[in-house]
Amino acid sequence: MAVVNQYKFKGIDNNTSGSALTPLGASIPAVNETIVIKSLLVTSAGTPVVTVINNSITAIKSIALTANQTKELLTQPLIIEGGTSFTVQSSTTDSFDVAISYLNIKKEVTT
């Protein structure tokens, strides 16, 4: 089995719905992947409270952000295991952007 490390950046622009976002994609991480998030930046146009949910557990709940502010939500890396969910959600319909820098560790079967 080979292990492939990929450093990636993902951004989502201008969410105004207040619904849960899946910034890594709906099917990521797959069962054969582990993701290590190094940086999770949120830029707000309004005053949302941002909630980060990892595998149905609230991992981060920010204080109300100030308008036109960028804030780093992580102080330590956040691990997301394969086959689990990862979402970012705003408490209101205020516009906010999410930027994530992460390491995707894929376990690939080679023959």
Side-chain angles (χ1 to χ4, degrees), residues 71-94:
K71 181 169 181 153
E72 172 64 60
L73 297 183
L74 294 179
T75 57
Q76 296 290 323
L78 180 64
I79 309 297
I80 303 168
E81 296 178 356
T84 63
S85 62
F86 175 76
T87 59
V88 179
Q89 185 169 4
S90 171
S91 62
T92 64
T93 56
D94 288 335

Side-chain angles (χ1 to χ4, degrees), residues 3 7-8 19 22 30 36 63 68 81 100:
V3 176
Y7 295 92
K8 296 187 173 190
S19 62
T22 53
V36 180
I63 59 171
N68 301 316
E81 296 178 356
I100 299 175

Side-chain angles (χ1 to χ4, degrees), residues 1-110:
M1 180 181 314
V3 176
V4 178
N5 294 334
Q6 298 175 323
Y7 295 92
K8 296 187 173 190
F9 172 83
K10 178 70 177 189
I12 295 180
D13 183 31
N14 203 20
N15 176 50
T16 57
S17 67
S19 62
L21 302 174
T22 53
L24 301 175
S27 61
I28 297 177
V31 173
N32 67 332
E33 297 175 317
T34 298
I35 291 180
V36 180
I37 298 177
K38 174 66 177 142
S39 176
L40 199 155
L41 293 170
V42 177
T43 302
S44 60
T47 57
V49 172
V50 177
T51 303
V52 176
I53 300 169
N54 183 2
N55 199 22
S56 302
I57 302 296
T58 300
I60 300 169
K61 189 164 194 142
S62 75
I63 59 171
L65 301 175
T66 306
N68 301 316
Q69 174 189 29
T70 299
K71 181 169 181 153
E72 172 64 60
L73 297 183
L74 294 179
T75 57
Q76 296 290 323
L78 180 64
I79 309 297
I80 303 168
E81 296 178 356
T84 63
S85 62
F86 175 76
T87 59
V88 179
Q89 185 169 4
S90 171
S91 62
T92 64
T93 56
D94 288 335
S95 174
F96 74 102
D97 299 341
V98 178
I100 299 175
S101 295
Y102 63 98
L103 169 62
N104 187 351
I105 304 168
K106 289 184 177 183
K107 297 169 228 93
E108 295 182 348
V109 176
T110 58

